[in-house]
Amino acid sequence: MAQLTPDARARLEAFKAVVVKHAHLQDVDDQLSLRVEEHADATHVLLCGPGGVGKSKALSVVAERFAREETDRFVVPILLLEPIPPDQGAYLRLDYYWQIIDALKEHLLVKELVGSVAYIMAAPKPARAKLGTIDWFKMRQVAEQALIRARVRAVLADEGHRLMQGDGSHSVDDQLEWLKSLSNRTKVLHVLAGPYALFGFRNTSGQLARRGRDIHFARYHVENKEERIAFVAALKYLLERVPLEVDLNTSLSSFRWWATGCVGCIGILKDWLVDAVAATLIQNGTSLTEAV
């Protein structure tokens, strides 16, 4: 089996780390940042778009910037989580509390709280069947206090639709009310990123719809002149950083071929290029072509 040389591996990893600050990502970044900063009248935000458009990247970009700009070492401005689908039983909420506590357990003002639920945090999942109401209440209480003490502004939940899908014992309305309650008690905004199905959860309750906000992360439609220019700019940015020889003019002239292949999603485009670069490097190739 072919293996990458250390030099090729380093070049590939450097390309993987490239972040394209394209127009749609910047727009979502601006909207999401504003919601985090000014969410007094909102409890949750739904960030929706097609798979591969860059929702996960948008969350990480926002989280990293807020962390970088925070000057108070006792403040954790953003928690970036990915809700865990329950393996068995109705543990979705408990797992969410667990993730919050685990992410903040080393915070100086949170450490003392963790001791009261250490036995739950360390328990294997099958043991949760024996947990009682008091145990669940403790986990929620510690999770809420951890968010408050760390002065978290927002929890960004990638694959956030998992929280809304429930675990068989709670309806969508139940889950939204639960999320609203968490936000009200902690003053922490919850941002759920996921597929378009998330938007459907918005219409279950007028009151909950009023307390939520929507952000659409759209793919590029190159039939539109402005979007075509933005897509080509993103493609050019990536191709210029490919660690191989690239005929830039020829590649850019085939922008419609690229747009069709990635259905206008920059995340898919990046994955496509990473795979092509890896395949070329394994074969000891030096140039990137459409035939790869």
Side-chain angles (χ1 to χ4, degrees), residues 61-200:
V61 165
V62 171
E64 288 168 7
R65 189 181 65 259
F66 270 85
R68 185 172 61 251
E69 295 177 354
E70 181 55 59
T71 57
D72 189 334
R73 66 188 183 92
F74 292 110
V75 173
V76 180
I78 303 288
L79 278 192
L80 180 56
L81 306 177
E82 183 175 328
I84 306 169
D87 291 331
Q88 62 177 30
Y91 303 131
L92 189 69
R93 297 183 184 183
L94 191 64
D95 281 338
Y96 196 56
Y97 301 147
W98 189 97
Q99 284 187 290
I100 291 171
I101 297 168
D102 187 61
L104 295 171
K105 64 184 179 183
E106 297 302 323
H107 191 284
L108 187 63
L109 302 179
V110 175
K111 282 185 176 182
E112 65 177 280
L113 297 171
V114 180
S116 64
V117 293
Y119 66 101
I120 302 175
M121 297 289 290
K125 285 193 173 185
R128 295 179 184 173
K130 300 179 181 179
L131 294 177
T133 304
I134 294 177
D135 296 310
W136 282 63
F137 178 75
K138 281 183 179 179
M139 285 290 284
R140 171 163 181 157
Q141 191 175 45
V142 170
E144 289 179 346
Q145 284 299 310
L147 290 171
I148 293 169
R149 293 192 182 192
R151 287 183 276 173
V152 175
R153 296 184 191 178
V155 175
L156 310 185
D158 200 4
E159 305 297 339
H161 56 287
R162 293 172 182 168
L163 287 180
M164 294 300 98
Q165 288 171 340
D167 49 25
S169 60
H170 301 99
S171 67
V172 170
D173 281 352
D174 290 336
Q175 290 301 96
L176 282 170
E177 286 287 357
W178 164 70
L179 203 62
K180 174 187 170 185
S181 174
L182 274 180
S183 294
N184 285 342
R185 289 170 61 88
T186 61
K187 308 304 179 187
V188 173
L189 180 71
H190 288 262
V191 177
L192 310 183
Y196 286 119
L198 261 178
F199 279 151

Side-chain angles (χ1 to χ4, degrees), residues 219-258:
R219 65 187 182 88
Y220 284 97
H221 298 83
V222 294
E223 300 82 7
N224 177 283
K225 182 179 179 180
E226 290 185 4
E227 295 203 7
R228 179 167 64 250
I229 291 172
F231 177 82
V232 172
L235 173 61
K236 181 174 183 289
Y237 187 91
L238 282 169
L239 291 174
E240 287 176 336
R241 285 154 182 79
V242 166
L244 298 165
E245 294 176 10
V246 178
D247 186 336
L248 193 59
N249 290 332
T250 299
S251 293
L252 292 179
S253 68
S254 302
F255 71 87
R256 291 187 186 277
W257 178 79
W258 290 101

